[in-house]
Amino acid sequence: MTCSDYFPRRAWLCLTLALLLASFGAWPSRIQARTQEAAPSADCFSLADLPPEQRARAEALFLAMLDSEALYTIAADLKPMSSGYVRFQFEVAKPELADIETTRAMLARFRCGDRFYADVLTFAAVYDGKRYAEGVVFNRAALERAIRAHPTYFASFGLTPNAHPMAVVHTVEQAEPAARWRGYGYLFGYPDAAVDFFVTAGTSQAETGKFVERDFRHIPTQTRATGGFTWAVPRGSAETDEEKHLRTRALAVLEDYRARRARLIGEGKPGVVALLRELTAQPARKASAHP
């Protein structure tokens, strides 16, 4: 039924709706942005209503996220997605999913307006009768920016900037190998040149059986010096300006995090929820136009 069906009795309603829609323009993005900005600190990452045991488990999970490369997704916009801060495996023939369900319930508390989304991703491949899964977290503004920056790739799957984060990562996970590698490279925030190299090297190895020699760039986290925020580059290649810029920004985030962590985490201290609220309240942590 259309507005014209009610004319003239409800013409005023149709006109009001039209004016509202026109005033919003690209309304989904603007509504989301306003929700993000409006979320009061006291509502962000709230665990106050959980029983003590569940609250302690959720706090440990949230701290594990921050201590991993997910810091660069949560406290900054450097990585649209991070994963691996919690891992699972289960028998396909007789799956036991209680831990995954419990973790999903805890991750549903990881919210601050619409800025973040956290969940458990189950991988498509099965090895020796087992399937693997791990925690993921998304910075939704950074994800939207990554989709806009690589329209040829994401649009080919029907993925638009307003796509749900899990729809994006499930599509990437199910893609054929080269497209899967490329998609994960974009989601993990690797430099474009590194993504191109990894896809080319992987395709070459699949065709020839010969491993393509490479070096690795590592950005440290709270718990790991290497192997966290890490990408491959051609053997012997010099660090690019984009990589230097990314490293500089990341190390500044890590230094800031370590100082705040020391002040807020420990016996008798405010705890991880206070730490998260401080980290995500910083204006410098918002999405930027830097390369």
Side-chain angles (χ1 to χ4, degrees):
M1 188 173 293
T2 66
C3 284
S4 60
D5 295 323
Y6 287 97
F7 191 85
R9 184 173 58 179
R10 297 191 178 178
W12 62 271
L13 178 59
C14 301
L15 178 60
T16 301
L17 289 172
L19 289 173
L20 283 171
L21 290 174
S23 69
F24 280 119
W27 61 274
S29 296
R30 292 191 182 183
I31 290 175
Q32 177 173 316
R34 292 183 182 184
T35 302
Q36 292 173 359
E37 293 169 1
S41 176
D43 289 344
C44 291
F45 316 108
S46 179
L47 303 173
D49 61 332
L50 290 179
E53 182 179 351
Q54 293 181 27
R55 184 165 64 249
R57 289 186 64 182
E59 288 172 345
L61 179 63
F62 289 4
L63 187 60
M65 295 169 72
L66 290 174
D67 283 348
S68 75
E69 62 268 28
L71 175 70
Y72 304 118
T73 296
I74 299 163
D77 61 351
L78 303 181
K79 298 178 87 272
M81 182 186 93
S82 291
S83 67
Y85 52 85
V86 61
R87 292 186 168 93
F88 309 92
Q89 64 181 48
F90 57 89
E91 299 285 345
V92 173
K94 192 177 180 181
E96 296 289 341
L97 304 179
D99 285 346
I100 290 179
E101 177 63 11
T102 298
T103 300
R104 281 197 167 112
M106 290 188 291
L107 291 176
R109 299 291 186 127
F110 194 88
R111 58 179 182 266
C112 188
D114 292 331
R115 295 171 62 185
F116 307 105
Y117 182 81
D119 206 330
V120 175
L121 170 67
T122 302
F123 293 106
V126 175
Y127 298 98
D128 297 326
K130 295 180 180 179
R131 200 181 294 278
Y132 295 82
E134 63 184 28
V136 293
V137 61
F138 299 85
N139 180 313
R140 299 189 76 155
L143 177 61
E144 179 178 335
R145 193 170 69 250
I147 293 173
R148 292 188 187 280
H150 305 97
T152 302
Y153 175 83
F154 288 104
S156 69
F157 293 104
L159 297 171
T160 64
N162 279 319
H164 192 280
M166 292 305 287
V168 176
V169 72
H170 278 305
T171 299
V172 169
E173 171 61 20
Q174 297 289 338
E176 54 88 18
R180 182 178 181 273
W181 299 330
R182 182 171 296 280
Y184 274 123
Y186 294 149
L187 294 181
F188 286 137
Y190 301 147
D192 284 357
V195 176
D196 291 341
F197 166 73
F198 191 82
V199 173
T200 300
T203 301
S204 174
Q205 181 176 345
E207 293 174 349
T208 67
K210 183 178 179 181
F211 179 75
V212 178
E213 296 295 328
R214 63 199 67 184
D215 292 331
F216 293 93
R217 305 279 193 253
H218 301 280
I219 291 178
T221 68
Q222 173 69 15
T223 55
R224 302 178 68 177
T226 62
F229 191 4
T230 297
W231 60 90
V233 296
R235 173 61 59 87
S237 61
E239 192 173 38
T240 66
D241 288 342
E242 182 181 6
E243 289 173 328
K244 291 176 183 177
H245 180 72
L246 180 57
R247 180 178 301 278
T248 298
R249 291 185 67 200
L251 291 179
V253 171
L254 181 59
E255 181 181 8
D256 176 76
Y257 172 67
R258 285 174 168 167
R260 293 177 189 276
R261 190 185 193 283
R263 178 168 52 83
L264 296 171
I265 299 298
E267 187 68 29
K269 296 182 179 181
V272 69
V273 172
L275 177 58
L276 278 164
R277 289 172 179 171
E278 278 201 12
L279 289 168
T280 57
Q282 299 303 302
R285 303 289 181 249
K286 292 182 180 179
S288 70
H290 290 298

